[in-house]
Each structure stands twice: as C-alpha cells, then as structure tokens.
C-alpha cells in the first residue's frame, strides 16, 4: 500500500489565483489530490505556512560560474573581457572539484526554491582536451551533485567545436571540444537518463558549432525527443560575425539547419530583428531570459514581450549566477520592460510565475511539472509571508507580494518528488551550504 503524505498549505498558488487553506496529498512522489476550503490543517498534515508555489525551474545554468561572483565586479570591460576571467576558472576544475562546487551551487538553488536545473554543460575534457577515462566524468559529476542537493537536473550536454566562424578552438576551449558533432553525439549517447535526470542537448552558439554540423546535434535531439538549447544573439558581435560568414542572422542560420522548433530553447535572444522574432515565434521555439546575467554582462534588454507575443514560450535562468534568485529573474524581466517602454504591467505575477515554473520545466523536458495539480510531480516551494520583505500582504495578492518583493532568502520549505529538501530555511542533506560554497570556491583559487 503506497504511503500518502498530506501537506496543508496556508496559501497556495493554483496557476491563476492564490487560494487560502489547501490540503495536498502526495503519493509516490506525485500530487494525488488538491482539496480547497481546508480552513485548518487536517490531522497529521505537515503544515506549510506562507505561499506555496510550484517548484521553480532554473532553465539556464553554468554551475562553475558561481566561483566568479564578486571577483568579476572590479574594473570595467565587456562580456568578452568577463569571458577571459571565466576561462581561467574553467581551467582549474576536475571532476572532483566540480562535483564539490556544483553540489554547493545546487544546494544554494534548492534554498532558493529551485527544484530543477538546466545545466548547459560544455566543460567536458581534461586540460588540453584529453578525454577522462570516463569521457562523461564531468557530466556525471554534475548529475551526482544535483542528486546530493536533492534537485532534478536536465544535463544539456553542449557541443562546442570552434572558437569562431571557421576558427579552431583556442587553448582555453580545448576542454570543451569533442572535435566533431559526430564525436559529440557518440559521447553524449553513453549518458543515461535515470530518476530525476534528463539528458538533453545544446549548441553552445553559432560561433562554436560550424554550420554544416548544426543538423547533427539537432538530429540527435530529435531522435530522442530531448530538449535542445542554444545561446542565441546574446552579443551584437556574434550577429555581425555570422553575417560576415554566412550572410544571415544566427536565428536564420539555425532555422536553415533544422535547429528551431518546440523542443528548442534560444537562450538570451537579445539582439534580434523583427524577422528573427517572427521565426522564433512561428516555430514555437522557446526563449530563456536571464535578466540578472544580461544586466551584469551589459548585454542589453531582449525583446521578451515581442517574442512571447509571436509565439515563443518564456523561461528564466540564472546563467552566470551573479545571483541565484528566480524571483529576482522574474520581476527583472518585467521591470526591464518598464524602464524600456515607460509603461507598467507587461506581465502579471501569474505570467511571471508561469515562466519561472511550468514553462521553465517544459523547456527542460518536463512538461508535467510546474503546477499544483493531481498527477504532477510533488515539487513545490513555500515562500514566507512574515519576513521584513513580505509581511502584511493582502491575502489574495500574496503571489504579487512574493514575485515583486520576496527574495530567495524568503524561501522556507522545498519539496522535490515528495521529499523535503529544505525545511525551515535549512538544507536537509547539505548541512552548511555557505561553508560548502566557500570551501569549493577557495579550492579553485591560486
Ligand atoms: Zn549561458
């Protein structure tokens, strides 16, 4: 007889509105009943005070970038100068040190209410480009790290073959390259899905995968019905180089090689023409916005509203982990658009939560997640409504309070697959997350 656990949610986000007093039954890791009108906790129920929302999906992560936090805030520069510092950290990582860092970073994500991460993973080989004894040792380290932190992972194993259009990888990039897309596919095919783990594909960018090899990666994802992600038009320099090499925009190039479609997500989609936006929208290609990274790297404000209107579902990611806070990503998308247009109210709190949960999970190959409904995975996070940032909400506007004023620090409880991974603001299986982060990052310094 499977065991059923009942949770009593003081307030629950049910997709369109905040409902007070909800009893939620969980059996075998899935939600089996959602009962409204529960004014008081049923006997034996676990009480979750605050606003419970579906688990958040961090649709774009490079776990090792967390080691750069703070150190890249000195001096001026651009995305391209930031990238040099990022490469120097990448050089020092081994499967063991990457496991320790990623375990701590994914635990930080868990504390922020994130129940699934899309890890855009391109650091495959030993320094110099020599494969490890297990050619997927780095990817397996990330999978193990997510398991220890209790969150789900979609490993978006990334093809990264060239430094620029027609240029061989530079010395930093040798660790990223499998040589050819066929060799990439051969290596990635050895990775196995398991409980909490999906294997997806990524094209680092049109800079990093030659045009004649794009379709090999797209076909691999198509055959497996796997998600396919790609950094797209984050920088104007990439658009210009693509034009010079191929006479088209990066979006057009991807479309011409069969990369766009409903299982594909373009990450950033910042500098796009009207024709690019129409192409992304008409193919139902997703858009993953990473507003805290895009502002940190001085990338620009992407046309998220226009992309969504054209048919592109929106997801959110913390990317370089300048901060790890999906609530901040969600409101930043809206607030950037307000600054750009001088108009308020482009997305409701409901629409922002959808990007931060259901549409994010769908972009990671989990279309059944991100809702508090029978049949969905029992993945949810409770945001406290009694902290200095959130106290005093109008009950029916609890979600508006959470999305526009709460931070990751207000997340109190997190459940993944019916298992509590964060209780009362503390991680259950990684006892001291700040210390784990400090030690893993210190180990990478000179
Ligand atoms: Zn990225």
């Amino acid at each position: 007889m499977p065991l059923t656990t009942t949770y009593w949610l003081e307030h629950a986000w049910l997709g369109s509105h905040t409902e007070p007093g909800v009893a939620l039954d969980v059996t075998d890791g899935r939600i089996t009943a959602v009962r409204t009108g529960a004014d008081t906790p049923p006997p034996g129920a676990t009480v979750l005070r605050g606003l419970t929302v579906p688990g958040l999906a961090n649709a774009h992560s490079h776990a090792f970038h967390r080691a750069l936090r703070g150190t890249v805030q000195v001096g001026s520069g651009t995305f391209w100068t930031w990238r040099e510092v990022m490469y120097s950290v990448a050089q020092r990582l081994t499967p063991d040190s990457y496991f320790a860092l990623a375990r701590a970073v994914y635990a930080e994500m868990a504390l922020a209410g994130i129940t699934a991460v899309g890890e855009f993973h391109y650091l495959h080989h030993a320094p110099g480009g020599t494969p490890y004894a297990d050619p997927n040792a780095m990817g397996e380290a990330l999978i193990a790290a997510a398991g220890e932190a209790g969150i789900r992972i979609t490993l978006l194993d990334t093809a990264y073959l060239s430094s620029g259009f027609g240029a061989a990888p530079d010395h930093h990039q040798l660790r990223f390259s499998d040589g050819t897309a066929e060799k990439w596919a051969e290596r990635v095919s050895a990775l196995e899905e398991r409980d909490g783990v999906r294997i997806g594909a990524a094209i680092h960018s049109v800079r990093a995968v030659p045009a004649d090899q794009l379709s090999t990666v797209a076909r691999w994802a198509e055959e497996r019905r796997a998600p396919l992600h790609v950094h797209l038009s984050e920088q104007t320099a990439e658009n210009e180089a693509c034009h010079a090499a191929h006479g088209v925009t990066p979006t057009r190039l991807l479309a011409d090689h069969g990369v766009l479609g409903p299982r594909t997500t373009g990450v950033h989609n910042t500098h796009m023409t009207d024709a690019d936006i129409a192409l992304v929208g008409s193919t139902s290609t997703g858009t993953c916005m990473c507003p805290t990274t895009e502002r940190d790297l001085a990338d620009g404000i992407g046309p998220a509203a226009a992309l969504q209107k054209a048919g592109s579902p929106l997801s959110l990611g913390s990317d370089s982990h300048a901060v790890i806070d999906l609530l901040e990503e969600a409101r930043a998308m809206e607030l950037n658009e307000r600054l750009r247009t001088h108009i308020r109210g482009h997305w409701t709190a409901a629409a922002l939560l959808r990007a931060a949960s259901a549409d994010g999970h769908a972009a990671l190959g989990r279309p059944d997640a991100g809702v508090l409904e029978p049949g969905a995975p029992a993945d949810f996070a409770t945001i406290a409504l009694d902290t200095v940032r959130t106290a005093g909400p109008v009950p029916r506007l609890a979600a508006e309070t959470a999305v526009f004023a709460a931070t990751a620090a207000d997340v109190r409880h997190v459940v993944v697959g019916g298992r509590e991974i964060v209780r009362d603001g503390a991680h259950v299986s990684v006892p001291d997350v700040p210390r784990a982060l400090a030690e893993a990052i210190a180990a990478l310094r000179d």
Side-chain angles (χ1 to χ4, degrees):
M1 191 70 179
L3 208 63
T4 295
T5 308
T6 300
Y7 293 89
W8 180 75
L9 319 180
E10 187 185 19
H11 303 277
W13 176 250
L14 296 185
S16 60
H17 68 287
T18 299
E19 181 78 24
V22 172
L24 197 100
D25 290 343
V26 172
T27 311
D28 279 343
R30 290 197 174 258
I31 298 170
T32 46
V34 178
R35 301 191 301 278
T36 57
D39 297 337
T40 53
T46 301
V47 173
L48 300 181
R49 294 214 176 267
L51 171 70
T52 298
V53 301
L56 305 177
N58 190 355
H60 190 65
S61 160
H62 308 282
F64 76 90
H65 292 192
R66 173 64 178 81
L68 301 170
R69 192 179 292 178
T71 61
V72 285
Q73 300 300 351
V74 181
S76 58
T78 65
F79 168 86
W80 306 102
T81 52
W82 169 88
R83 195 176 71 156
E84 289 304 310
V85 184
M86 183 267 281
Y87 281 169
S88 69
V89 171
Q91 285 316 303
R92 297 195 196 110
L93 285 159
T94 64
D96 286 347
S97 63
Y98 205 4
F99 166 77
L101 176 60
R103 170 179 174 269
V105 173
Y106 294 153
E108 180 183 355
M109 290 186 194
L111 290 171
I114 291 162
T115 58
V117 62
E119 180 65 32
F120 197 104
H121 166 58
Y122 52 84
L123 189 55
H124 303 305
H125 305 299
T130 313
Y132 289 104
D134 171 3
N136 286 308
M138 291 296 249
E140 291 290 354
L142 292 164
I143 289 170
E148 291 233 346
I151 68 171
R152 302 179 193 273
I153 185 170
T154 298
L155 188 75
L156 298 161
D157 195 294
T158 305
Y160 194 126
L161 310 171
S162 59
S163 172
F165 298 87
D170 70 19
H171 67 287
H172 292 304
Q173 297 160 343
L174 290 172
R175 297 194 70 176
F176 312 162
S177 177
D178 293 295
T180 65
E182 267 90 38
K183 290 232 177 76
W184 166 86
E186 199 180 301
R187 178 180 56 73
V188 178
S189 296
L191 284 162
E192 283 176 11
E193 299 202 326
R194 60 209 92 157
D195 197 26
V197 180
R198 283 224 64 186
I199 306 299
I203 289 164
H204 179 276
S205 58
V206 293
R207 281 179 277 128
V209 177
D212 61 358
Q213 299 187 56
L214 291 169
S215 63
T216 304
V217 183
R219 210 174 318 116
W220 185 94
E222 176 65 38
E223 282 165 5
R224 286 160 182 77
R225 318 294 301 157
L228 171 59
H229 288 215
V230 52
H231 287 133
L232 183 51
S233 286
E234 181 179 5
Q235 302 296 328
T236 51
E238 172 180 296
N239 287 359
E240 287 155 16
C242 187
H243 252 291
H246 299 294
V248 294
T249 65
T251 303
R252 182 78 250 173
L253 189 71
L254 293 177
D256 289 349
H257 290 85
V259 174
L260 302 187
R263 276 178 302 93
T264 300
T265 296
V267 180
H268 304 300
N269 297 356
T270 309
H271 301 286
M272 292 204 144
T273 66
D274 290 347
D276 290 339
I277 292 169
L279 203 48
V280 168
S282 65
T283 53
S284 303
T285 303
T287 296
C288 180
M289 297 291 288
C290 307
T292 68
T293 290
E294 288 149 5
R295 72 192 186 198
D296 184 68
L297 296 180
D299 287 348
I301 301 171
L307 282 159
Q308 188 176 43
K309 195 164 170 230
S312 178
L314 300 178
S315 54
L316 296 163
S318 64
D319 190 4
S320 70
H321 311 313
V323 295
I324 293 177
D325 189 337
L326 261 282
L327 298 169
E328 175 61 25
E329 301 294 344
R331 64 176 164 262
M333 185 165 74
E334 161 69 18
L335 299 178
N336 281 349
E337 199 67 7
R338 290 185 190 181
L339 286 172
R340 201 176 65 77
T341 61
H342 307 176
I343 294 169
R344 307 178 78 233
H346 301 273
W347 289 279
T348 60
L352 295 172
L353 276 174
R354 186 184 170 93
S357 57
D359 286 352
H361 290 289
L364 298 180
R366 300 183 190 279
D368 57 346
V371 288
L372 300 181
E373 287 174 11
D379 297 1
F380 42 87
T382 305
I383 300 163
L385 296 174
D386 57 0
T387 73
V388 284
R389 287 166 293 275
T390 59
V394 176
R396 70 182 170 81
L397 298 179
E400 283 72 7
T401 300
V403 170
F404 284 98
T407 71
D410 299 316
V411 172
R412 192 160 280 168
H413 310 289
V414 182
V415 171
V416 176
R419 194 162 71 92
E420 258 188 326
I421 62 164
V422 174
R423 185 183 304 138
D424 293 323
H427 200 285
V428 172
S429 59
V430 182
D432 189 343
V433 178
R435 185 180 173 152
L437 283 163
E439 290 180 351
I441 292 167
L444 298 174
R445 295 217 177 98
D446 289 325

